[in-house]
Amino acid sequence: MTQSYDYVIVGAGSAGCVIAHRLTENPDVSVLLLEAGGRDRQFFYRLALGFHSWRYPETNWQYETEPEPHLGDRRIPLPRGKVLGGSSTINGMLYSRGHPLDYDRWRQMGCEGWGYADVLPYFKRSETNWRGEGTYHGGSGPLQVSRIDTRKLVHEPVMEAARKLGYPITDDHHGELHEGFGGGDTTTDRRGRRSSASRAYLDPVRSRPNLTIATGAYATRIRVENGRVTGLDYVQDGKSKTVRAEREVILAGGVYNSPQLLMLSGIGPADDLRSIGIEPICDLPGVGRNLSEHAGYWTEHATREPITLLRELRADRLAISLARWAMFGTGVLASQSNSCHAEVRSRPELEQPDLQLYFNPARGDAKPWFPGIGERQEHRLSVVACLVQPDSRGWMELRSADPRDKPRISLNLMSERSDVDALVRSVEMVREVYETDPLASLISHEVVPGPEVRGKAAIEQWLRNTLIVTHHAVGTCAMGIGSQSVVDPQLRVRGIEGLRVCDASIMPTVPGGNTNAPSIMVGEKAADLIRGTSLPREEVREGLASAA
């Protein structure tokens, strides 16, 4: 028997959880929320330093790229959350919205209603920020945003080196000054627990009688009759099921799954679909295109003394910290291990920061250890650097008409010379910070990329051999007004009635920060678009977007 709901949401990730929460505020509206993964009750999902749970195959889709043509044909892993909360359940929990100009640029591209003044109210509605309610932050939203405790994380030496080099200093990357070196924020609550989209938005409303949550439910096809969506096919517990949507089907599966489901349903590039045996019902050439991602890399410097977080990973200390976290929600395990969050420009003439640097108080592969047992780990400080305003664009397409086949994905990283040059400059900038006291006095030697990697040509080759991504992909169902746009500014799929896409895939360009907070903002704004309401714009004073 086909069940019927007013709205069917595909994907219980960062945006899907928000939309389910907001739509069911109206008791007269029924919502079915489908999630292909399972529930988010594992212990490590809650732990701030447990984000390495993304390595577990059951928690993510285990996507990877095709051989990347500009990276020596390497395949890049692309973990995406396959669990309630989506990637917000397995991510690093760093809270970063991006720059105001990112959103103003969307408006300039024809996305009316998506400028910074339009989206700021939705960022604020989503959060309870540790700073309290104010011009730039909310104080009563579902998402808990906490300050990273930097007291044991080699924070001050990094900050002092930045001051000596003349970088801007900010105590809030989302306040008056959106660039510079400062402390970071994290999506954890006051007890040191992860504040995922599932825990923030679903947990408080699970008992609503008008909300049905189905896990292990894999969507396979959108049903369309006479140009209008009528429902959805999905598989659950090995059984094929169909659900009817009286009002809308809302895709919130993310940057890879939402375009995949569109194409499986005949909505996408017509010639490509025909080539794999799918009869197109709506020719939308932009589906799967415009893929944008933050390319990044790690650097590591060995320290003269054992001053890094590795000390806290000694087995006995770790056990005590775990107990302290479980009982009191305090200690090193209750917060992210990030010494400093920096947003800077690779060239002074740029309008906004194009680099994001995370200074970390430990090596990238740090792991628990026992005194006198096994190989000794060298104490190192590390930096994760990424290019947040990339020009390179990739694509994704179906491998076959089988819904279980993973899509073909190419990020096409470092295909644009501008991206290569900015990344090379960033390596030199990171080195300059480490060569400046008081940070320099703590360092023994550079480990990665290593002293032998000198000069632009050598750095470029090292980047092509080692480049990674920071899992901030967007753009495959881009919002806009041109022929390549997939959804309009109301997030309605062009050419099909009763169908919207509401997740990171609609972002026409990638914001200059982590994408979890912007995805939650998209969910908040999408819910209002669906309900036919909106929050008033919040204008901010001139010059907010620049540190110059």
Side-chain angles (χ1 to χ4, degrees):
M1 183 179 296
T2 300
Q3 291 184 297
S4 177
Y5 298 85
D6 290 314
Y7 297 98
V8 178
I9 304 171
V10 182
S14 296
C17 291
V18 178
I19 299 168
H21 177 113
R22 295 303 184 190
L23 292 184
T24 55
E25 289 175 339
N26 181 351
D28 296 327
V29 167
S30 61
V31 172
L32 172 63
L33 178 62
L34 298 176
E35 170 54 45
R39 296 196 172 271
D40 57 339
R41 295 305 172 190
Q42 287 191 25
F43 165 76
F44 278 104
Y45 292 149
R46 303 186 187 187
L47 187 63
L49 287 186
F51 62 90
H52 288 291
S53 60
W54 66 263
R55 300 178 187 275
Y56 304 151
E58 66 271 17
T59 66
N60 84 78
W61 289 92
Q62 301 183 74
Y63 293 141
E64 66 176 9
T65 68
E66 298 296 294
E68 286 289 319
H70 306 284
L71 303 182
D73 286 335
R74 290 187 294 122
R75 293 181 183 268
I76 309 297
L78 304 173
R80 305 306 301 165
K82 187 181 180 182
V83 62
L84 282 180
S87 295
S88 75
T89 298
I90 64 171
N91 69 355
M93 296 171 295
L94 294 165
Y95 183 86
S96 179
R97 300 175 182 171
H99 198 278
L101 287 180
D102 297 328
Y103 305 102
D104 288 343
R105 195 169 296 114
W106 291 3
R107 185 185 60 206
Q108 293 163 8
M109 296 169 69
C111 303
E112 192 61 38
W114 290 88
Y116 180 64
D118 303 299
V119 302
L120 177 59
Y122 291 100
F123 278 118
K124 292 173 64 175
R125 186 170 78 176
S126 72
E127 69 169 5
T128 293
N129 194 280
W130 65 270
R131 298 174 178 85
E133 189 163 359
T135 303
Y136 306 105
H137 294 287
S140 58
L143 187 70
Q144 303 294 308
V145 179
S146 301
R147 188 175 196 173
I148 295 176
D149 184 355
T150 58
R151 286 174 291 183
K152 292 186 177 181
L153 303 180
V154 200
H155 175 70
E156 286 305 327
V158 176
M159 294 295 292
E160 185 57 31
R163 288 188 187 95
K164 286 186 175 182
L165 291 170
Y167 284 107
I169 303 298
T170 180
D171 61 359
D172 184 2
H173 287 95
H174 309 113
E176 294 185 11
L177 181 58
H178 286 76
E179 71 176 281
F181 280 63
D185 291 347
T186 179
T187 50
T188 51
D189 63 23
R190 293 179 180 179
R191 298 194 66 241
R193 270 63 172 171
R194 174 190 292 271
S195 184
S196 67
S198 171
R199 293 191 172 275
Y201 282 90
L202 285 189
D203 280 3
V205 301
R206 287 178 188 272
S207 60
R208 285 179 180 170
N210 58 338
L211 173 62
T212 300
I213 302 171
T215 56
Y218 187 99
T220 57
R221 183 169 67 102
I222 302 163
R223 287 182 170 261
V224 180
E225 295 179 9
N226 300 319
R228 179 174 181 82
V229 168
T230 60
L232 187 82
D233 295 341
Y234 66 100
V235 176
Q236 186 182 38
D237 299 326
K239 298 178 181 179
S240 297
K241 301 182 179 182
T242 298
V243 61
R244 182 171 181 82
E246 298 296 339
R247 298 190 186 184
E248 292 187 17
V249 167
I250 301 160
L251 303 191
V255 70
Y256 303 124
N257 291 43
S258 287
Q260 180 189 33
L261 185 56
L262 286 177
M263 289 187 280
L264 287 169
S265 308
I267 304 168
D271 292 341
D272 291 351
L273 297 180
R274 289 192 187 96
S275 70
I276 57 172
I278 296 176
E279 184 60 31
I281 62 172
C282 182
D283 184 12
L284 283 180
V287 175
R289 305 296 162 175
N290 191 50
L291 176 56
S292 182
E293 170 66 283
H294 291 161
Y297 61 85
W298 285 83
T299 71
E300 293 191 347
H301 288 73
T303 60
R304 298 181 186 276
E305 302 293 335
I307 60 172
T308 74
L309 192 66
L310 197 58
R311 296 173 304 174
E312 307 298 329
L313 298 183
R314 199 176 77 179
D316 55 342
R317 294 172 181 164
L318 190 59
I320 294 172
S321 294
L322 192 59
R324 182 180 177 185
W325 170 81
M327 290 187 291
F328 307 112
T330 59
V332 69
L333 297 182
S335 181
Q336 253 292 5
S337 57
N338 175 244
S339 300
C340 178
H341 170 201
E343 297 181 10
V344 295
R345 312 180 200 197
S346 65
R347 291 179 289 124
E349 66 271 21
L350 292 176
E351 193 175 17
Q352 69 186 92
D354 62 335
L355 300 173
Q356 188 181 54
L357 311 175
Y358 282 108
F359 289 79
N360 299 309
R363 55 192 293 159
D365 60 352
K367 52 185 177 291
W369 57 281
F370 295 85
I373 299 177
E375 182 181 357
R376 179 180 180 273
Q377 300 175 70
E378 183 178 51
H379 281 259
R380 301 175 187 172
L381 302 177
S382 62
V383 172
V384 178
C386 65
L387 178 66
V388 296
Q389 300 293 329
D391 291 323
S392 299
R393 293 291 183 271
W395 50 265
M396 64 153 290
E397 60 187 28
L398 297 182
R399 196 174 300 275
S400 75
D402 185 344
R404 294 288 178 177
D405 272 357
K406 295 177 182 178
R408 298 179 64 238
I409 302 168
S410 176
L411 298 175
N412 207 25
L413 298 173
M414 293 185 75
S415 59
E416 296 294 332
R417 190 70 229 176
S418 56
D419 292 353
V420 177
D421 291 343
L423 284 165
V424 169
R425 284 192 295 270
S426 73
V427 175
E428 297 168 337
M429 293 167 66
V430 170
R431 278 176 163 164
E432 186 179 34
V433 174
Y434 272 99
E435 291 167 359
T436 302
D437 279 329
L439 188 57
S441 63
L442 304 178
I443 301 304
S444 167
H445 60 280
E446 179 181 290
V447 181
V448 180
E452 70 281 0
V453 181
R454 293 286 173 180
K456 293 182 179 180
I459 294 174
E460 177 179 336
Q461 189 57 54
W462 173 75
L463 287 168
R464 293 191 187 277
N465 292 338
T466 61
L467 203 72
I468 57 173
V469 293
T470 51
H471 315 302
H472 301 156
V474 306
T476 50
C477 297
M479 169 176 56
I481 58 175
S483 61
Q484 291 295 308
S485 65
V486 177
V487 300
D488 65 14
Q490 300 289 309
L491 307 186
R492 299 170 298 200
V493 175
R494 297 188 178 280
I496 301 290
E497 293 184 26
L499 179 62
R500 297 188 205 234
V501 181
C502 307
D503 55 34
S505 70
I506 64 95
M507 301 179 191
T509 60
V510 61
N514 304 53
T515 48
N516 178 234
S519 295
I520 288 173
M521 176 276 291
V522 167
E524 287 279 10
K525 186 168 174 62
D528 271 9
L529 292 173
I530 294 165
R531 296 183 294 192
T533 63
S534 64
L535 295 177
R537 289 164 51 89
E538 294 192 26
E539 296 288 354
V540 290
R541 70 171 181 270
E542 294 290 330
L544 171 68
S546 175

